[in-house]
Amino acid sequence: MDDAHVIQGISWSDMVAHMERGGMDRGMVYFGYNLILHYVYSYLPDPPVSPAAALSLSAAPSPNDGVDRISRLPDAVLRDIVSRLPAKDAARTAALASRWRPLWRSAPLTLADSHLLPDGGAGGQLVIGAASPRAVTAAVSRVLAAHPGPFRCVHLTRTTMEEHRGEMARWLDILAAKGVQELVFVNRPLPIDLRLPATIFSCASLTRLHLGIWRLPDTAAVPRAARFPNLRDLGLYWNSMEDRDLDFMLERSPVLESLFILGFQSGLRLRLVNQSLRCIQLGFSFAEDIDLVDAPRLERLFQFAELTESPKMNNGRSTRKRSSVIKIGSAPKLRVLGYLKPGEQELVDPTLICAGNKENIVPSVQILGIEVQFGVRNTVKKVPGFLRCFPNLETLHVQSRPISEESTGKVSVKFWQEGGPIKCILQSIKKVFFYEFRGSRSEVSFLKFVAEKARVLEQMVVVVCIECFSPGDDNVRVKLKPLTSAKWNSKACRLELFRSPVTDGSGPAYNHELASDFEFADPFDLKYYKKQL
């Protein structure tokens, strides 16, 4: 494999050399590739049909008169039934009776290549090094050629595309010609920088598109007329692309509402000028800059599991990440934001800074999530300034992050009291959720400050990390005594304590599906995450 094959911006030879210098063998590289696949498959949307789905009427009593009542239903109803079956089962309906034979070809089809595996995909992902399922690849080609379309939903995630470049190109040609509506298209590496055919831009019928582990087409060579006029949901998973390629895709998607980016094979710079996007999620990404230039409909912006170092290598060494910058230009409807990291991220409103005013940066935000290392004094000192940026905040979610080294200083209540007023704490905050509470002085001081200053606070939830518990120990109550004995400003506020189910010290609980569900008012409030004490 040559140096063009990269992972997170690192050439194959540099990666192997770097790992061998650290005492690891090449097998660790394959472990890394499989880990990437694991994350990609974990976050991909599921096919809308399943070969293991139970039939809801299978146990219902039926007349024993031999009459085929289902076949008497109107064609439109039967086509709808067929379109809700896995492709293999849909094709088999042609053998039921003459009435069913033309229906399979006239029904919008759902095709998932995992359903064509011998176990129907029940065995999970195919790891790197596993034999390529050539029979599955051939079956996909036959189905796509035989069915006239349209294709309701197509999931192609189990083929090693490098071994089937010809079939891959023909598949996209067919899907573009026959009108695919939803497409999930993943390259099983190696290599992970395989170029995706530019034919993808010909799939104008797409409403949902999720692409994984590709080098996206060079948009400089794509016809300017290419566009996704119906695309509402775009997911990009560990792809390699230039900033201009992402800008091109967003610009050519005039009704796009949801953007999900998981991983990025280089530093991510997102400059958003988009009139339709409502939700953006960035996970496992190195976000150098996020610039919301003009996003009039954007309501939610999420970052989760953000990388702390640049994925690029310099002589075999990773480059330490500088503070990333989030610039808020025009996003008047931005209501939900998080998880931000004071001390590692800077929040900027260019217009207000030019006017000499660094506060009141994002007055529209009502729900905020932040991650704070309370054992690092310089990080805690950034929190008041962050909170002043959100004068109308109503719900605050705080994830307390552990530190790998010794504490660099504690912060007392006096620090918070002498730091000046924080408008949202005084006037608007109604709910505070504090996750992975360890009982440090800095954590207690922050919570006590909020309790004593918040005038309209209705609810404070503290999720206590599992390491604080031991049999017969009243450790938690002792750690919380300064808080429970404080003079609460809001007499109506209730304090709720929960035991955390997290045992590995991982980051904030996060559900990417709820994050983009606008019927779920607060996507950070995951009630299943906690168990009341």
Side-chain angles (χ1 to χ4, degrees):
M1 186 174 295
D2 58 37
D3 288 352
H5 296 148
V6 298
I7 175 170
Q8 297 277 13
I10 308 168
S11 72
W12 171 265
S13 59
D14 282 349
M15 173 177 288
V16 172
H18 174 67
M19 299 184 108
E20 288 180 340
R21 281 195 297 270
M24 293 179 283
D25 59 32
R26 296 179 181 230
M28 291 300 296
V29 178
Y30 288 94
F31 172 80
Y33 283 133
N34 283 314
L35 188 61
I36 289 176
L37 275 180
H38 167 75
Y39 280 119
V40 169
Y41 285 139
S42 296
Y43 282 93
L44 285 173
D46 293 325
V49 300
S50 170
L55 298 177
S56 60
L57 297 179
S58 59
S62 58
N64 197 15
D65 55 11
V67 177
D68 182 3
R69 290 177 174 81
I70 294 181
S71 294
R72 293 181 177 181
L73 293 172
D75 283 359
V77 175
L78 295 179
R79 278 194 292 269
D80 188 56
I81 292 173
V82 173
S83 71
R84 296 174 186 273
L85 296 173
K88 188 185 297 186
D89 295 330
R92 288 170 176 168
T93 60
L96 294 176
S98 58
R99 174 83 168 79
W100 290 81
R101 286 171 192 160
L103 292 174
W104 177 77
R105 289 177 54 82
S106 61
L109 190 66
T110 294
L111 172 62
D113 58 358
S114 61
H115 296 167
L116 303 176
L117 294 169
D119 63 357
Q125 71 180 62
L126 298 171
V127 300
I128 301 301
S132 179
R134 297 180 183 277
V136 171
T137 304
V140 169
S141 294
R142 288 195 301 271
V143 172
L144 292 179
H147 197 280
F151 289 93
R152 173 189 170 202
C153 180
V154 176
H155 281 231
L156 302 175
T157 64
R158 296 301 195 271
T159 296
T160 304
M161 300 297 178
E162 167 73 5
E163 300 175 3
H164 303 279
R165 293 194 183 209
E167 289 95 331
M168 172 185 69
R170 283 192 292 273
W171 290 349
L172 290 178
D173 288 337
I174 292 172
L175 291 172
K178 295 184 177 181
V180 61
Q181 297 170 12
E182 300 182 12
L183 176 61
V184 177
F185 201 40
V186 176
N187 167 41
R188 287 187 64 242
L190 309 167
I192 70 167
D193 66 336
L194 184 63
R195 180 75 74 177
L196 180 68
T199 311
I200 191 68
F201 289 102
S202 300
C203 298
S205 56
L206 282 169
T207 61
R208 191 179 203 189
L209 175 62
H210 288 249
L211 299 171
I213 320 180
W214 295 99
R215 179 174 293 278
L216 296 192
D218 180 3
T219 52
V222 174
R224 301 301 297 174
R227 64 200 314 257
F228 297 116
N230 303 297
L231 189 64
R232 296 187 178 276
D233 178 21
L234 175 62
L236 302 171
Y237 304 77
W238 255 285
N239 293 294
S240 174
M241 70 178 90
E242 302 294 332
D243 293 336
R244 68 171 183 269
D245 299 331
L246 179 58
D247 293 341
F248 182 92
M249 295 190 76
L250 297 181
E251 181 184 342
R252 295 299 187 274
S253 305
V255 298
L256 186 66
E257 295 186 349
S258 178
L259 173 64
F260 181 87
I261 298 179
L262 183 77
F264 209 81
Q265 293 183 31
S266 60
L268 171 62
R269 294 184 180 91
L270 176 63
R271 184 178 185 275
L272 190 64
V273 179
N274 186 282
Q275 305 299 304
S276 61
L277 266 173
R278 299 178 64 195
C279 178
I280 298 176
Q281 300 183 68
L282 308 173
F284 295 93
S285 299
F286 171 64
E288 296 182 9
D289 294 294
I290 300 173
D291 189 358
L292 306 183
V293 179
D294 185 19
R297 295 193 65 202
L298 186 65
E299 299 176 39
R300 299 181 173 189
L301 174 60
F302 302 97
Q303 287 184 278
F304 63 96
E306 185 190 21
L307 298 182
T308 58
E309 293 184 345
S310 169
K312 295 183 179 180
M313 298 283 282
N314 181 16
N315 294 325
R317 296 181 180 180
S318 57
T319 304
R320 176 64 64 177
K321 172 188 169 182
R322 66 171 175 81
S323 294
S324 63
V325 176
I326 300 178
K327 297 179 182 179
I328 308 292
S330 177
K333 292 187 177 182
L334 184 61
R335 179 176 174 272
V336 183
L337 179 63
Y339 272 93
L340 302 185
K341 297 179 180 179
E344 296 181 20
Q345 291 176 306
E346 299 176 24
L347 191 63
V348 177
D349 182 335
T351 59
L352 293 177
I353 285 184
C354 289
N357 181 359
K358 294 185 179 181
E359 296 185 10
N360 300 345
I361 289 180
V362 197
S364 61
V365 170
Q366 296 178 346
I367 300 173
L368 174 69
I370 60 175
E371 290 186 66
V372 182
Q373 288 183 311
F374 282 90
V376 180
R377 182 178 177 84
N378 288 337
T379 295
V380 179
K381 289 170 66 176
K382 299 287 186 180
V383 174
F386 249 69
L387 294 180
R388 290 190 181 97
C389 295
F390 308 99
N392 301 314
L393 191 65
E394 295 183 0
T395 302
L396 174 64
H397 295 266
V398 182
Q399 177 81 18
S400 181
R401 295 170 55 199
I403 59 175
S404 56
E405 61 275 356
E406 292 185 8
S407 173
T408 59
K410 299 176 181 179
V411 174
S412 66
V413 175
K414 185 178 179 181
F415 161 79
W416 295 98
Q417 293 172 340
E418 295 179 349
I422 301 174
K423 184 178 179 181
C424 66
I425 298 293
L426 294 175
Q427 299 181 6
S428 62
I429 204 89
K430 296 179 180 179
K431 297 180 180 180
V432 173
F433 296 81
F434 195 99
Y435 306 104
E436 300 308 306
F437 174 82
R438 293 172 176 81
S440 72
R441 179 182 174 185
S442 296
E443 291 175 327
V444 174
S445 297
F446 170 75
L447 291 173
K448 185 177 180 181
F449 168 76
V450 173
E452 293 181 340
K453 295 296 182 181
R455 300 168 186 167
V456 295
L457 189 64
E458 300 172 356
Q459 180 185 24
M460 179 181 286
V461 174
V462 179
V463 181
V464 183
C465 75
I466 199 166
E467 66 192 49
C468 288
F469 296 91
S470 58
D473 191 353
D474 199 28
N475 187 35
V476 175
R477 305 292 176 182
V478 172
K479 289 179 179 294
L480 285 169
K481 186 175 180 179
L483 177 62
T484 56
S485 61
K487 295 180 179 180
W488 290 58
N489 201 333
S490 174
K491 305 304 179 184
C493 181
R494 64 184 188 274
L495 173 63
E496 302 175 33
L497 305 180
F498 295 86
R499 182 198 301 265
S500 170
V502 175
T503 59
D504 58 0
S506 58
Y510 185 79
N511 186 306
H512 68 289
E513 294 175 336
L514 292 181
S516 59
D517 183 354
F518 288 94
E519 293 184 2
F520 202 85
D522 185 353
F524 296 124
D525 184 7
L526 303 177
K527 291 182 171 58
Y528 65 82
Y529 173 71
K530 36 194 197 192
K531 178 181 179 183
Q532 193 155 15
L533 298 179

